[in-house]
Amino acid sequence: MPHVKLEHTENMTPSKIKPIFNQLINILIENALVKKENCKCRAIQISVYDTGNNDSDHYYHLEISLLKGRSKEIRQKIGQMSLDSLKYYFADNHGKSDKQFSVEIREMNPKNYFTSNIL
């Protein structure tokens, strides 16, 4: 724990995605006090999508699942820092983007989470 899932519509190589995962893990280590070795990240390309705005627009949705127990302020800080990171890594060369970005922080009940890792 935690689990980081990035859904994206734009075709990207792992070399483009790995740096954002490293940044997100660092955000979680600094703010949620998690162990690096317990972080699990995955990226999923969505091939069929619609943004409701224009078929050529792309979006990135980040879902971070954490065990319950972090304050609202910590969750908000993680969410905002993660959103800023997405916008930075996936903007064009001029720092602008017509892409849509969103972040969702999910809290999981520790009684409903089972792992072989030592939390």
Side-chain angles (χ1 to χ4, degrees):
M1 184 49 76
H3 292 265
V4 176
K5 179 172 64 172
L6 175 63
E7 295 177 340
H8 59 91
T9 59
E10 199 167 25
N11 187 21
M12 290 183 288
T13 63
S15 64
K16 178 114 178 173
I17 295 175
K18 288 281 189 173
I20 186 72
F21 283 161
N22 290 333
Q23 179 66 34
L24 295 168
I25 288 170
N26 287 333
I27 290 169
L28 291 168
I29 290 170
E30 292 171 14
N31 295 285
L33 305 176
V34 298
K35 295 178 183 176
K36 183 176 185 173
E37 59 270 17
N38 289 344
C39 295
K40 295 161 186 75
C41 301
R42 64 184 182 268
I44 302 165
Q45 182 180 355
I46 308 298
S47 59
V48 178
Y49 65 93
D50 185 359
T51 63
N53 185 16
N54 183 337
D55 288 343
S56 64
D57 288 343
H58 292 287
Y59 74 83
Y60 299 81
H61 176 70
L62 180 67
E63 180 183 301
I64 300 173
S65 297
L66 296 165
L67 292 176
K68 282 184 181 181
R70 277 76 179 192
S71 69
K72 179 180 177 181
E73 292 78 19
I74 293 294
R75 293 190 315 270
Q76 287 177 328
K77 186 175 181 182
I78 291 169
Q80 189 60 55
M81 290 177 76
S82 298
L83 181 62
D84 293 343
S85 293
L86 286 178
K87 293 184 332 190
Y88 173 80
Y89 278 97
F90 299 121
D92 67 15
N93 294 336
H94 305 291
K96 296 181 181 180
S97 179
D98 60 354
K99 302 166 186 168
Q100 296 179 14
F101 302 96
S102 57
V103 176
E104 177 183 4
I105 308 292
R106 290 182 173 234
E107 288 189 291
M108 297 174 55
N109 184 335
K111 293 179 182 178
N112 298 332
Y113 184 75
F114 305 90
T115 181
S116 62
N117 292 340
I118 297 173
L119 304 173

